[in-house]
Amino acid sequence: MATATMADGTPVQLALSHRAVRQVLVDPRFSRAEASRPGAPSVVPFHGQSGLLHALDPPEHTALRAHIGRAFTSRTVERLRPEIEGLVARLLDAMEAAGPPADVVAHLSAPLPVKVLCRLLGVPYEDHEAFRGWIETILPASAAAGQAAEAAEQLTAYLADLIGTKRRAPGDDLISTLLAPGPDGLPLDDATVLANLTPVLVAGHDTTHNQLSNSLVALFTHRDQWELLVRRPELVPRAVDELLRHQLLSRIGMLMRVTTAPVDLAGVPLPAGTAVMALSDVANRDPAVFPDPDRIDVRRRDTGKHLAFGAGPHYCPGGRLARLELSVALLALVRRFPGLRPAVPVAELRWKDGIMRGPWQLPVTW
């Protein structure tokens, strides 16, 4: 535990160990709803949008999570595997045809998650390019404010129309699932569905996109681990979790909570109303849980304990899908391009300077 001060002077307690961070994420006395209210301590601006899954506590969170979780069950996600494998194969076909050096970000990391999102949301094929354009204008840190705002308005209008279409003619997609009556027998209203699609888009595109690129950079700079995967591709699922644990993805890997009752955290008594920031990236390097934590080891057996997707009620509902995309992509790369390596020195890569960490381009050769 440590104490820090927010930019506005508000004191905040820092949970640093794996045990403390996990407690903050699991214990219901650490409230996400209280931390999401206007005026609460925050590392990013609060926009005041209601009905967001990540801004609720049980029982409201439980009910909404039950709706959203139906689209991300193990069985539902696994059904997408053949499509994702085919998509990755086609993307790598195009990269191979382009010949080295090729930018693996442009050929794979960026298009893969947005194409999966189109499938997940039920976006008609003829709208895929427009959809991708909006997403890639809104999310990058370099996007001009005016362009991002315009793209956001166009995407919101498109999604609102798509929700209406799915309500009239449901399909096999996330939006239709959200619109159908949930376990409580009640459907979600259009506004709640629309509000919760934005976090899905951010988590489904920006995080997966950058995590795949960051994973490749890490493996290129730890060449023995890449070569081990080439020899033993069955280790890829474990490698995906090890890289999720090891790599810094978000520059604000901090999960804010506010205590609603007195609670003891890591031996420190906290009164109700205490702001607590859980640093999951620090917890993922806790030597008490991950021996020699700064080392990448794709054979590590305890790597599944990482907190990259959170824990407890707010565990990322799309975690299974992210793991599937990352695993399929990495497995295809080590099998198809065993000699894959950076075409420029890693030190010369240009990195994003926004919330998400990742290279803008990653030229590779084979």
Side-chain angles (χ1 to χ4, degrees), residues 208-241:
T208 305
H209 164 183
N210 289 295
Q211 179 62 28
L212 179 53
S213 299
N214 293 345
S215 295
L216 291 174
V217 173
L219 290 170
F220 292 156
T221 54
H222 296 77
R223 194 68 196 182
D224 61 318
Q225 299 299 294
W226 172 269
E227 291 172 354
L228 180 56
L229 292 178
V230 170
R231 295 193 306 271
R232 297 184 57 191
E234 73 275 7
L235 289 174
V236 163
R238 192 178 297 177
V240 165
D241 271 313

Side-chain angles (χ1 to χ4, degrees), residues 79 96 137 140 167 189 223 247 316 330:
R79 285 209 310 263
E96 188 170 23
T137 301
R167 191 175 286 284
D189 61 76
R223 194 68 196 182
Q247 290 298 290
C316 177
L330 184 54

Side-chain angles (χ1 to χ4, degrees), residues 123-204:
V123 174
Y125 181 80
E126 60 269 21
D127 295 338
H128 282 198
E129 286 307 310
F131 190 86
R132 178 179 175 181
W134 293 323
I135 292 293
E136 294 184 350
T137 301
I138 294 168
L139 295 179
S142 66
Q147 291 177 331
E150 182 180 0
E153 289 179 6
Q154 292 172 337
L155 178 59
T156 299
Y158 178 85
L159 290 173
D161 287 342
L162 188 60
I163 289 170
T165 299
K166 299 297 181 182
R167 191 175 286 284
R168 293 188 297 272
D172 178 22
D173 54 73
L174 172 62
I175 294 177
S176 298
T177 299
L178 295 180
L179 294 173
D184 55 5
L186 301 174
L188 298 177
D189 61 76
D190 289 10
T192 300
V193 173
L194 183 60
N196 283 280
L197 287 180
T198 299
V200 168
L201 296 177
V202 173

Side-chain angles (χ1 to χ4, degrees), residues 16 25 33 42 53 62 88-89 100 115 124 133 145 160 165 190 199-200 207 210 214 242 272 284 295 307 345 349:
L16 304 173
L25 301 182
S42 177
L53 180 69
T62 306
V88 168
K115 287 179 178 294
T165 299
D190 289 10
V200 168
T207 55
N210 289 295
N214 293 345
E242 172 68 347
N284 284 339
R295 178 172 58 90
L307 300 172
L349 294 176

Side-chain angles (χ1 to χ4, degrees), residues 65-108:
R65 173 69 183 234
H67 278 269
I68 294 176
R70 292 177 300 164
F72 296 101
T73 64
S74 297
R75 184 176 181 180
T76 301
V77 170
E78 191 58 30
R79 285 209 310 263
L80 293 173
R81 181 181 293 274
E83 292 184 54
I84 294 174
E85 289 175 340
L87 174 57
V88 168
R90 292 191 294 274
L91 292 172
L92 294 184
D93 285 345
M95 186 174 88
E96 188 170 23
D103 179 12
V104 75
V105 172
H107 281 283
L108 181 64

Side-chain angles (χ1 to χ4, degrees), residues 274-290:
T274 301
V276 180
M277 190 181 292
L279 276 67
S280 56
D281 291 322
V282 177
N284 284 339
R285 299 288 186 97
D286 186 343
V289 179
F290 308 105

